[in-house]
Amino acid sequence: MDRPTYYDQVFAVTRAVPRGRVTTYGAIADFLALGSARMVGWALNKVAYDLKVPAHRVVNRKGELSGRVHFNPPQRMQELLEQEGVTVKNDQVQNFKEILWIPADHLSQEAFDESFE
DNA sequence: ATTGTGACATACG
DNA sequence: CCGTATGCCACAA
């Protein structure tokens, strides 16, 4: 699309997160070099009821499942993560630093832009 | 145009 | 660790 909305970009990055890995709101915002971490969570909220985007792989900078309450039902987020091999305890992703996936380290801005033509 | 609203992040006490 | 404050900025009304 000519004019991808902020949502589209957030969704695209989120879909790029591999199974068993997680990323953070800040990392996505940083990669997009647009908006802020707040925008990311806000964008995901719009699609929380759609299963097209693996929103469960996005957590806050502490590795907490801060957005779980927006799932249906809330514990669904943790279940999905554990299903992918991610251990979650007390609403926190275990081994967080090991499985953290930073978009900026694996995606090129150019290739990303092209996907919106 | 103005205001309100955040699934955040960082700084400070 | 906890609460407060501030920056952040796209989007809906």
mmCIF file of all heavy atoms in Angstrom, chain C:
data_model
loop_
_atom_site.group_PDB
_atom_site.id
_atom_site.type_symbol
_atom_site.label_atom_id
_atom_site.label_comp_id
_atom_site.label_asym_id
_atom_site.label_seq_id
_atom_site.Cartn_x
_atom_site.Cartn_y
_atom_site.Cartn_z
ATOM 1 P P DC C 1 12.927 -5.411 42.591
ATOM 2 O OP1 DC C 1 14.097 -5.841 43.366
ATOM 3 O OP2 DC C 1 12.039 -6.294 41.865
ATOM 4 O "O5'" DC C 1 12.039 -4.597 43.643
ATOM 5 C "C5'" DC C 1 11.321 -5.292 44.656
ATOM 6 C "C4'" DC C 1 10.324 -4.331 45.295
ATOM 7 O "O4'" DC C 1 11.052 -3.182 45.770
ATOM 8 C "C3'" DC C 1 9.304 -3.819 44.280
ATOM 9 O "O3'" DC C 1 8.012 -3.825 44.869
ATOM 10 C "C2'" DC C 1 9.771 -2.396 43.992
ATOM 11 C "C1'" DC C 1 10.448 -2.001 45.295
ATOM 12 N N1 DC C 1 11.526 -1.000 45.034
ATOM 13 C C2 DC C 1 11.436 0.263 45.593
ATOM 14 O O2 DC C 1 10.486 0.515 46.334
ATOM 15 N N3 DC C 1 12.386 1.181 45.319
ATOM 16 C C4 DC C 1 13.398 0.874 44.513
ATOM 17 N N4 DC C 1 14.303 1.798 44.254
ATOM 18 C C5 DC C 1 13.531 -0.432 43.922
ATOM 19 C C6 DC C 1 12.580 -1.330 44.208
ATOM 20 P P DC C 2 6.774 -3.561 43.964
ATOM 21 O OP1 DC C 2 5.667 -4.399 44.431
ATOM 22 O OP2 DC C 2 7.219 -3.595 42.561
ATOM 23 O "O5'" DC C 2 6.440 -2.047 44.338
ATOM 24 C "C5'" DC C 2 6.214 -1.697 45.693
ATOM 25 C "C4'" DC C 2 5.848 -0.216 45.750
ATOM 26 O "O4'" DC C 2 7.045 0.581 45.656
ATOM 27 C "C3'" DC C 2 4.936 0.190 44.591
ATOM 28 O "O3'" DC C 2 3.800 0.870 45.067
ATOM 29 C "C2'" DC C 2 5.810 1.079 43.728
ATOM 30 C "C1'" DC C 2 6.844 1.618 44.708
ATOM 31 N N1 DC C 2 8.145 1.870 44.048
ATOM 32 C C2 DC C 2 8.713 3.146 44.116
ATOM 33 O O2 DC C 2 8.121 4.028 44.736
ATOM 34 N N3 DC C 2 9.897 3.380 43.497
ATOM 35 C C4 DC C 2 10.505 2.392 42.829
ATOM 36 N N4 DC C 2 11.670 2.670 42.238
ATOM 37 C C5 DC C 2 9.939 1.088 42.753
ATOM 38 C C6 DC C 2 8.773 0.865 43.365
ATOM 39 P P DG C 3 2.591 1.215 44.033
ATOM 40 O OP1 DG C 3 1.311 0.903 44.693
ATOM 41 O OP2 DG C 3 2.888 0.655 42.700
ATOM 42 O "O5'" DG C 3 2.734 2.796 43.957
ATOM 43 C "C5'" DG C 3 2.804 3.558 45.160
ATOM 44 C "C4'" DG C 3 3.213 4.982 44.828
ATOM 45 O "O4'" DG C 3 4.577 5.017 44.384
ATOM 46 C "C3'" DG C 3 2.357 5.588 43.710
ATOM 47 O "O3'" DG C 3 1.972 6.900 44.098
ATOM 48 C "C2'" DG C 3 3.295 5.589 42.506
ATOM 49 C "C1'" DG C 3 4.668 5.724 43.157
ATOM 50 N N9 DG C 3 5.748 5.133 42.370
ATOM 51 C C8 DG C 3 5.806 3.864 41.853
ATOM 52 N N7 DG C 3 6.912 3.612 41.200
ATOM 53 C C5 DG C 3 7.642 4.794 41.301
ATOM 54 C C6 DG C 3 8.927 5.124 40.802
ATOM 55 O O6 DG C 3 9.704 4.420 40.145
ATOM 56 N N1 DG C 3 9.287 6.427 41.128
ATOM 57 C C2 DG C 3 8.508 7.291 41.841
ATOM 58 N N2 DG C 3 9.010 8.508 42.048
ATOM 59 N N3 DG C 3 7.303 6.997 42.327
ATOM 60 C C4 DG C 3 6.936 5.736 42.020
ATOM 61 P P DT C 4 1.017 7.749 43.150
ATOM 62 O OP1 DT C 4 0.127 8.549 44.027
ATOM 63 O OP2 DT C 4 0.449 6.864 42.123
ATOM 64 O "O5'" DT C 4 2.054 8.740 42.431
ATOM 65 C "C5'" DT C 4 3.039 9.394 43.224
ATOM 66 C "C4'" DT C 4 3.848 10.349 42.363
ATOM 67 O "O4'" DT C 4 4.939 9.640 41.750
ATOM 68 C "C3'" DT C 4 3.071 11.032 41.243
ATOM 69 O "O3'" DT C 4 3.316 12.428 41.299
ATOM 70 C "C2'" DT C 4 3.610 10.392 39.983
ATOM 71 C "C1'" DT C 4 5.004 9.955 40.384
ATOM 72 N N1 DT C 4 5.517 8.756 39.696
ATOM 73 C C2 DT C 4 6.787 8.782 39.164
ATOM 74 O O2 DT C 4 7.502 9.766 39.218
ATOM 75 N N3 DT C 4 7.197 7.619 38.561
ATOM 76 C C4 DT C 4 6.479 6.444 38.442
ATOM 77 O O4 DT C 4 6.965 5.469 37.887
ATOM 78 C C5 DT C 4 5.151 6.489 39.011
ATOM 79 C C7 DT C 4 4.273 5.284 38.925
ATOM 80 C C6 DT C 4 4.741 7.630 39.608
ATOM 81 P P DA C 5 2.622 13.427 40.227
ATOM 82 O OP1 DA C 5 2.467 14.739 40.873
ATOM 83 O OP2 DA C 5 1.451 12.760 39.611
ATOM 84 O "O5'" DA C 5 3.769 13.566 39.132
ATOM 85 C "C5'" DA C 5 5.081 13.953 39.555
ATOM 86 C "C4'" DA C 5 5.996 14.106 38.342
ATOM 87 O "O4'" DA C 5 6.485 12.824 37.913
ATOM 88 C "C3'" DA C 5 5.301 14.748 37.141
ATOM 89 O "O3'" DA C 5 6.174 15.733 36.601
ATOM 90 C "C2'" DA C 5 5.100 13.569 36.184
ATOM 91 C "C1'" DA C 5 6.274 12.665 36.521
ATOM 92 N N9 DA C 5 6.064 11.244 36.268
ATOM 93 C C8 DA C 5 4.993 10.471 36.619
ATOM 94 N N7 DA C 5 5.106 9.206 36.270
ATOM 95 C C5 DA C 5 6.350 9.150 35.656
ATOM 96 C C6 DA C 5 7.073 8.097 35.074
ATOM 97 N N6 DA C 5 6.641 6.842 35.008
ATOM 98 N N1 DA C 5 8.281 8.380 34.543
ATOM 99 C C2 DA C 5 8.734 9.633 34.602
ATOM 100 N N3 DA C 5 8.144 10.700 35.128
ATOM 101 C C4 DA C 5 6.948 10.384 35.647
ATOM 102 P P DT C 6 5.564 16.737 35.499
ATOM 103 O OP1 DT C 6 6.062 18.094 35.812
ATOM 104 O OP2 DT C 6 4.123 16.495 35.316
ATOM 105 O "O5'" DT C 6 6.327 16.215 34.206
ATOM 106 C "C5'" DT C 6 7.722 15.921 34.310
ATOM 107 C "C4'" DT C 6 8.186 15.251 33.033
ATOM 108 O "O4'" DT C 6 7.961 13.838 33.090
ATOM 109 C "C3'" DT C 6 7.485 15.769 31.781
ATOM 110 O "O3'" DT C 6 8.453 16.078 30.801
ATOM 111 C "C2'" DT C 6 6.612 14.595 31.355
ATOM 112 C "C1'" DT C 6 7.416 13.420 31.858
ATOM 113 N N1 DT C 6 6.646 12.173 32.080
ATOM 114 C C2 DT C 6 7.220 10.984 31.710
ATOM 115 O O2 DT C 6 8.318 10.898 31.206
ATOM 116 N N3 DT C 6 6.448 9.861 31.960
ATOM 117 C C4 DT C 6 5.197 9.838 32.531
ATOM 118 O O4 DT C 6 4.626 8.778 32.699
ATOM 119 C C5 DT C 6 4.659 11.126 32.890
ATOM 120 C C7 DT C 6 3.304 11.202 33.502
ATOM 121 C C6 DT C 6 5.401 12.221 32.658
ATOM 122 P P DG C 7 8.017 16.809 29.461
ATOM 123 O OP1 DG C 7 8.844 18.014 29.294
ATOM 124 O OP2 DG C 7 6.542 16.935 29.423
ATOM 125 O "O5'" DG C 7 8.465 15.730 28.384
ATOM 126 C "C5'" DG C 7 9.792 15.199 28.437
ATOM 127 C "C4'" DG C 7 9.929 14.042 27.456
ATOM 128 O "O4'" DG C 7 9.259 12.891 27.991
ATOM 129 C "C3'" DG C 7 9.281 14.333 26.103
ATOM 130 O "O3'" DG C 7 10.149 13.886 25.061
ATOM 131 C "C2'" DG C 7 8.003 13.526 26.137
ATOM 132 C "C1'" DG C 7 8.374 12.363 27.023
ATOM 133 N N9 DG C 7 7.240 11.752 27.707
ATOM 134 C C8 DG C 7 6.207 12.401 28.344
ATOM 135 N N7 DG C 7 5.307 11.587 28.846
ATOM 136 C C5 DG C 7 5.779 10.333 28.511
ATOM 137 C C6 DG C 7 5.237 9.055 28.771
ATOM 138 O O6 DG C 7 4.199 8.775 29.377
ATOM 139 N N1 DG C 7 6.029 8.036 28.250
ATOM 140 C C2 DG C 7 7.198 8.226 27.569
ATOM 141 N N2 DG C 7 7.818 7.142 27.140
ATOM 142 N N3 DG C 7 7.728 9.420 27.321
ATOM 143 C C4 DG C 7 6.968 10.420 27.814
ATOM 144 P P DC C 8 9.778 14.294 23.564
ATOM 145 O OP1 DC C 8 11.052 14.456 22.863
ATOM 146 O OP2 DC C 8 8.767 15.389 23.564
ATOM 147 O "O5'" DC C 8 9.036 13.010 23.003
ATOM 148 C "C5'" DC C 8 9.667 11.745 23.033
ATOM 149 C "C4'" DC C 8 8.645 10.662 22.708
ATOM 150 O "O4'" DC C 8 7.810 10.428 23.845
ATOM 151 C "C3'" DC C 8 7.681 11.067 21.595
ATOM 152 O "O3'" DC C 8 8.202 10.685 20.338
ATOM 153 C "C2'" DC C 8 6.432 10.266 21.913
ATOM 154 C "C1'" DC C 8 6.527 10.026 23.411
ATOM 155 N N1 DC C 8 5.538 10.788 24.213
ATOM 156 C C2 DC C 8 4.709 10.113 25.091
ATOM 157 O O2 DC C 8 4.805 8.888 25.156
ATOM 158 N N3 DC C 8 3.822 10.805 25.839
ATOM 159 C C4 DC C 8 3.753 12.138 25.733
ATOM 160 N N4 DC C 8 2.878 12.773 26.494
ATOM 161 C C5 DC C 8 4.589 12.849 24.826
ATOM 162 C C6 DC C 8 5.460 12.143 24.094
ATOM 163 P P DC C 9 8.048 11.732 19.134
ATOM 164 O OP1 DC C 9 9.068 11.376 18.125
ATOM 165 O OP2 DC C 9 7.957 13.100 19.655
ATOM 166 O "O5'" DC C 9 6.611 11.331 18.555
ATOM 167 C "C5'" DC C 9 6.379 10.003 18.119
ATOM 168 C "C4'" DC C 9 4.897 9.784 17.893
ATOM 169 O "O4'" DC C 9 4.169 9.808 19.132
ATOM 170 C "C3'" DC C 9 4.240 10.844 17.008
ATOM 171 O "O3'" DC C 9 3.290 10.217 16.182
ATOM 172 C "C2'" DC C 9 3.518 11.694 18.017
ATOM 173 C "C1'" DC C 9 3.040 10.636 18.943
ATOM 174 N N1 DC C 9 2.553 11.047 20.259
ATOM 175 C C2 DC C 9 1.662 10.194 20.926
ATOM 176 O O2 DC C 9 1.356 9.126 20.409
ATOM 177 N N3 DC C 9 1.164 10.567 22.120
ATOM 178 C C4 DC C 9 1.529 11.727 22.659
ATOM 179 N N4 DC C 9 1.012 12.055 23.832
ATOM 180 C C5 DC C 9 2.451 12.605 22.001
ATOM 181 C C6 DC C 9 2.937 12.224 20.814
ATOM 182 P P DA C 10 3.212 10.479 14.647
ATOM 183 O OP1 DA C 10 4.481 10.108 14.043
ATOM 184 O OP2 DA C 10 2.653 11.840 14.499
ATOM 185 O "O5'" DA C 10 2.095 9.439 14.154
ATOM 186 C "C5'" DA C 10 2.345 8.050 14.296
ATOM 187 C "C4'" DA C 10 1.047 7.316 14.557
ATOM 188 O "O4'" DA C 10 0.587 7.603 15.894
ATOM 189 C "C3'" DA C 10 -0.078 7.718 13.613
ATOM 190 O "O3'" DA C 10 -0.819 6.552 13.271
ATOM 191 C "C2'" DA C 10 -0.895 8.695 14.443
ATOM 192 C "C1'" DA C 10 -0.696 8.191 15.866
ATOM 193 N N9 DA C 10 -0.710 9.254 16.873
ATOM 194 C C8 DA C 10 -0.025 10.439 16.847
ATOM 195 N N7 DA C 10 -0.224 11.198 17.906
ATOM 196 C C5 DA C 10 -1.091 10.452 18.688
ATOM 197 C C6 DA C 10 -1.681 10.698 19.940
ATOM 198 N N6 DA C 10 -1.483 11.804 20.660
ATOM 199 N N1 DA C 10 -2.505 9.759 20.427
ATOM 200 C C2 DA C 10 -2.699 8.638 19.726
ATOM 201 N N3 DA C 10 -2.213 8.291 18.544
ATOM 202 C C4 DA C 10 -1.394 9.254 18.065
ATOM 203 P P DC C 11 -1.881 6.658 12.124
ATOM 204 O OP1 DC C 11 -1.918 5.340 11.476
ATOM 205 O OP2 DC C 11 -1.689 7.881 11.344
ATOM 206 O "O5'" DC C 11 -3.205 6.805 12.996
ATOM 207 C "C5'" DC C 11 -3.472 5.852 14.000
ATOM 208 C "C4'" DC C 11 -4.645 6.287 14.849
ATOM 209 O "O4'" DC C 11 -4.272 7.323 15.762
ATOM 210 C "C3'" DC C 11 -5.829 6.835 14.037
ATOM 211 O "O3'" DC C 11 -6.966 6.078 14.351
ATOM 212 C "C2'" DC C 11 -5.970 8.271 14.514
ATOM 213 C "C1'" DC C 11 -5.342 8.205 15.896
ATOM 214 N N1 DC C 11 -4.829 9.495 16.410
ATOM 215 C C2 DC C 11 -5.122 9.855 17.723
ATOM 216 O O2 DC C 11 -5.790 9.092 18.414
ATOM 217 N N3 DC C 11 -4.658 11.027 18.209
ATOM 218 C C4 DC C 11 -3.921 11.828 17.447
ATOM 219 N N4 DC C 11 -3.492 12.963 17.979
ATOM 220 C C5 DC C 11 -3.604 11.482 16.098
ATOM 221 C C6 DC C 11 -4.071 10.310 15.625
ATOM 222 P P DA C 12 -8.267 6.184 13.416
ATOM 223 O OP1 DA C 12 -8.559 4.828 12.925
ATOM 224 O OP2 DA C 12 -8.153 7.308 12.469
ATOM 225 O "O5'" DA C 12 -9.338 6.565 14.527
ATOM 226 C "C5'" DA C 12 -9.393 5.816 15.741
ATOM 227 C "C4'" DA C 12 -10.295 6.518 16.734
ATOM 228 O "O4'" DA C 12 -9.627 7.682 17.262
ATOM 229 C "C3'" DA C 12 -11.608 7.002 16.126
ATOM 230 O "O3'" DA C 12 -12.640 6.800 17.066
ATOM 231 C "C2'" DA C 12 -11.333 8.480 15.864
ATOM 232 C "C1'" DA C 12 -10.393 8.840 17.013
ATOM 233 N N9 DA C 12 -9.458 9.924 16.706
ATOM 234 C C8 DA C 12 -8.743 10.123 15.550
ATOM 235 N N7 DA C 12 -7.954 11.176 15.590
ATOM 236 C C5 DA C 12 -8.160 11.699 16.854
ATOM 237 C C6 DA C 12 -7.615 12.800 17.533
ATOM 238 N N6 DA C 12 -6.705 13.618 17.008
ATOM 239 N N1 DA C 12 -8.047 13.048 18.776
ATOM 240 C C2 DA C 12 -8.952 12.234 19.326
ATOM 241 N N3 DA C 12 -9.530 11.164 18.799
ATOM 242 C C4 DA C 12 -9.082 10.941 17.547
ATOM 243 P P DA C 13 -14.157 7.062 16.619
ATOM 244 O OP1 DA C 13 -14.954 5.961 17.205
ATOM 245 O OP2 DA C 13 -14.199 7.337 15.164
ATOM 246 O "O5'" DA C 13 -14.509 8.408 17.388
ATOM 247 C "C5'" DA C 13 -14.303 8.499 18.795
ATOM 248 C "C4'" DA C 13 -14.627 9.901 19.266
ATOM 249 O "O4'" DA C 13 -13.532 10.779 18.965
ATOM 250 C "C3'" DA C 13 -15.852 10.525 18.592
ATOM 251 O "O3'" DA C 13 -16.605 11.276 19.553
ATOM 252 C "C2'" DA C 13 -15.268 11.470 17.569
ATOM 253 C "C1'" DA C 13 -14.005 11.926 18.285
ATOM 254 N N9 DA C 13 -12.954 12.402 17.389
ATOM 255 C C8 DA C 13 -12.653 11.956 16.126
ATOM 256 N N7 DA C 13 -11.656 12.598 15.560
ATOM 257 C C5 DA C 13 -11.261 13.525 16.524
ATOM 258 C C6 DA C 13 -10.260 14.507 16.545
ATOM 259 N N6 DA C 13 -9.418 14.734 15.535
ATOM 260 N N1 DA C 13 -10.146 15.260 17.660
ATOM 261 C C2 DA C 13 -10.985 15.041 18.669
ATOM 262 N N3 DA C 13 -11.974 14.131 18.767
ATOM 263 C C4 DA C 13 -12.056 13.406 17.654
#
